[in-house]
Amino acid sequence: MSTPLRIFVLLLLAPLARGASSNSLMDISADGKLLACSNRDSGSVSIVDLQSHKKLREIPVGHKPEGVCFIGKTHALAIAVYHDDQIVFLDADTGQSSGHTDVLDEPYGIVASSAGDKIYATLSYPGQVIEIDVATRKITRTFSGGAFNRGIAISADNSRLFVTEYYTATVLAIDLTTGQIADRWPATASDNLSRQITLHPTRPKAYLSHIRSATERAQGEGSIFPYVSVIDTAPAVVPVGDKKPAKRRTRIPMDSFIGTHVTANPWEVAISPDGRRFFSVFSGTDDLYACDVVDDDYRELAWRSTLQLGHNPRAVRVAPDGRTFYVYNALDFNVVAYDVKSLSKIATVEVTTNPLGEEVLQGKRLFYSALQPMVGRRWISCSSCHPDGDGDGRTWRNPEGLRNTPSMSGLAWTHPLHWSADRDE
């Protein structure tokens, strides 16, 4: 098939395709009619009509919902409720619950098979992936899924799962026939905080955003770097003789991607259904890169434009018809629609009201921000080392000694602070 004809066929079939194969805080139904958004602070999921760009309903689901996905070609939803250790099932058309599945601990990423008969979710703390039968809501299989896994994607033929380790950005492939780890793409020792992975619709490529935590560097502007890694998902070729193995992972530094424009805290990426457009949101600098996907194993991405977004963008999704993409600004509590070609704003939808109060909201915005007045050089925010108030799994080498990154939960009652107990605030 010629390239123009292949692209035409992909565009023709795109509206009929499954809405997404990767985990996200948002998902779009396969028919392109509805968007579901997981509101972590509100403990709810909002349903948006994409024709009118109006919120239809908001449904309470529990404490700290994370991944959300439509099931097959239906308007049924599955939500990973992180703090309640549940997978919750909803009908997006009615807002009614259709049951839940209790899981071991910390469900985060969630995807559905194309037929809509199976759900797969990462359990971050046990480092497992579970398979749930949709009809019975029962866990049918449990796989080893790496340490502290979060990101998950399912291949178009439903034969493999691709899973990311949160603290290492290592990618694993799970064979769904055998249930075994079939492939692995190690990261460097400093790679960190990978929450999501997405697959190219036609090329054997996967894309994940993460940071690099250079723990040996004492200065903030030289220790945290934003990256997008591109992995080659084709089977590894065993080299012959002295030939070196082919490179299967390309790390693209986002802080120098377009010269001196620095971004911070990449969160999610998305690929358009035709495989030609790439979008990445940065939750620390409140911006987005819109790129062309380059069929070149060296370049991979070519910058198109940078968009300034709202506060703390955490999700990006492209509609099945490839014409519109959506960004979730977590601390503006809204979803914004943009035109894929012109990158112009189409609509803004408030998906939930502020549940925090104005003072706490302002503090939270500052905590996640790598902009003025918090910092001047854009590389790092409080959340770069304390994501969502948790630790980053690192021990840092500072001039005054070694410092690990603890969870900030309960710190108001655990003075004095630091490993050396040298601070009272």
Side-chain angles (χ1 to χ4, degrees), residues 325-376:
F325 69 93
Y326 300 86
V327 172
Y328 174 49
N329 298 306
L331 293 181
D332 284 336
F333 312 106
N334 65 27
V335 169
V336 181
Y338 296 89
D339 182 89
V340 165
K341 288 186 177 180
S342 67
L343 303 179
S344 58
K345 185 183 295 185
I346 298 172
T348 300
V349 184
E350 182 184 277
V351 290
T352 187
T353 56
N354 173 19
L356 304 172
E358 289 304 316
E359 187 174 8
V360 173
L361 174 60
Q362 181 62 13
K364 198 163 187 176
R365 285 175 174 173
L366 292 173
F367 181 83
Y368 286 102
S369 177
L371 303 171
Q372 296 278 11
M374 294 300 289
V375 296

Side-chain angles (χ1 to χ4, degrees), residues 150-210:
R150 289 204 172 181
I152 186 171
I154 187 169
S155 62
D157 62 1
N158 299 279
S159 65
R160 281 191 170 192
L161 297 173
F162 295 86
V163 177
T164 70
E165 292 184 345
Y166 181 51
Y167 291 121
T168 70
T170 291
V171 177
L172 310 173
I174 300 173
D175 186 300
L176 284 175
T177 299
T178 66
Q180 301 299 309
I181 294 175
D183 210 338
R184 183 186 298 266
W185 294 263
T188 68
S190 59
D191 288 347
N192 198 5
L193 304 188
S194 175
R195 301 171 178 88
Q196 184 246 14
I197 184 170
T198 193
L199 305 176
H200 194 280
T202 56
R203 301 174 69 212
K205 298 284 183 177
Y207 306 78
L208 60 148
S209 57
H210 56 88

Side-chain angles (χ1 to χ4, degrees), residues 28-29 31-35 47-56 319 321 324 326 337 346-347 349:
I28 300 173
S29 60
D31 58 15
K33 293 181 179 181
L34 298 180
L35 178 145
I47 309 300
V48 176
D49 179 274
L50 292 185
Q51 184 173 5
S52 63
H53 288 119
K54 301 293 184 183
K55 184 177 79 170
L56 298 177
D321 64 8
T324 312
Y326 300 86
I346 298 172
V349 184

Side-chain angles (χ1 to χ4, degrees), residues 386 400 402-404 406-425:
H386 296 275
E400 69 272 23
L402 297 177
R403 298 275 186 245
N404 78 341
S407 168
M408 301 182 73
S409 177
L411 282 187
W413 300 276
T414 57
H415 294 78
L417 308 179
H418 265 184
W419 267 8
S420 54
D422 65 334
R423 297 189 184 182
D424 61 0
E425 62 180 355

Side-chain angles (χ1 to χ4, degrees), residues 122 126-129 143-149 163-165 172 174 181:
T122 55
Q128 297 174 348
V129 176
F143 314 114
S144 175
F148 297 99
N149 54 13
V163 177
T164 70
E165 292 184 345
L172 310 173
I174 300 173
I181 294 175

Side-chain angles (χ1 to χ4, degrees), residues 96-109:
Q96 297 300 308
S97 172
S98 54
H100 71 269
T101 302
D102 292 320
V103 301
L104 182 58
D105 209 4
E106 297 184 354
Y108 190 90

Side-chain angles (χ1 to χ4, degrees), residues 191-246:
D191 288 347
N192 198 5
L193 304 188
S194 175
R195 301 171 178 88
Q196 184 246 14
I197 184 170
T198 193
L199 305 176
H200 194 280
T202 56
R203 301 174 69 212
K205 298 284 183 177
Y207 306 78
L208 60 148
S209 57
H210 56 88
I211 66 172
R212 179 185 177 189
S213 298
T215 58
E216 73 282 359
R217 301 184 184 184
Q219 301 302 317
E221 68 268 19
S223 59
I224 303 288
F225 303 90
Y227 277 85
V228 167
S229 283
V230 184
I231 67 171
D232 187 342
T233 61
V237 177
V238 179
V240 178
D242 295 333
K243 189 176 181 181
K244 294 183 178 180

